[in-house]
Amino acid sequence: MIVQKTIPFCGIHINVNPRGQSPTDRGDAFGVQYVEFCGGYYTPGLAENIYYLQGYSAENAAANSREIVDGWMASPGYRDNIMNENYDSIGIGIRFDNSEIYATQVFC
């Protein structure tokens, strides 16, 4: 995932990378296009959830996974992405860096 390569090296925790590209911009660059029906009109766009976790250990993998998903579900915007019935595909990426985890979900 592009975001996962960006976050650890640039110290950012947002969905726009240092080049100013949104998830939709990055998808367009790779030929991934998505159009969502939004109650009377169509809009282009991919959705992305990101999560950063310090303190990962293999012994706590299940608890760490729950923390990531619980964090996404506690965020109104990220929860909306997960529950949005218009998205029918998902990409998931996980990056481990010593005791840190960078997790990304991309929806289209």
Side-chain angles (χ1 to χ4, degrees):
M1 295 265 130
I2 296 169
V3 167
Q4 289 174 248
K5 292 179 182 176
T6 303
I7 293 172
F9 301 112
C10 300
I12 61 170
H13 303 283
I14 57 174
N15 295 82
V16 176
N17 70 15
R19 294 184 203 101
Q21 296 171 309
S22 70
T24 300
D25 296 332
R26 294 189 305 271
D28 287 345
F30 286 95
V32 177
Q33 297 182 350
Y34 175 78
V35 178
E36 179 180 357
F37 182 71
C38 293
Y41 65 94
Y42 289 90
T43 183
L46 300 175
E48 177 181 64
N49 294 350
I50 60 175
Y51 198 92
Y52 169 76
L53 174 67
Q54 287 184 306
Y56 168 78
S57 70
E59 296 81 30
N60 296 322
N64 293 152
S65 298
R66 278 191 300 277
E67 180 178 341
I68 292 169
V69 173
D70 288 348
W72 282 330
M73 294 304 284
S75 165
Y78 286 173
R79 180 182 171 83
D80 287 350
N81 289 341
I82 292 168
M83 302 303 290
N84 187 331
E85 64 186 33
N86 292 312
Y87 297 127
D88 61 8
S89 299
I90 184 173
I92 299 174
I94 304 288
R95 177 186 167 97
F96 298 94
D97 190 1
N98 297 316
S99 66
E100 300 174 322
I101 297 175
Y102 303 88
T104 305
Q105 296 176 309
V106 179
F107 302 90
C108 64

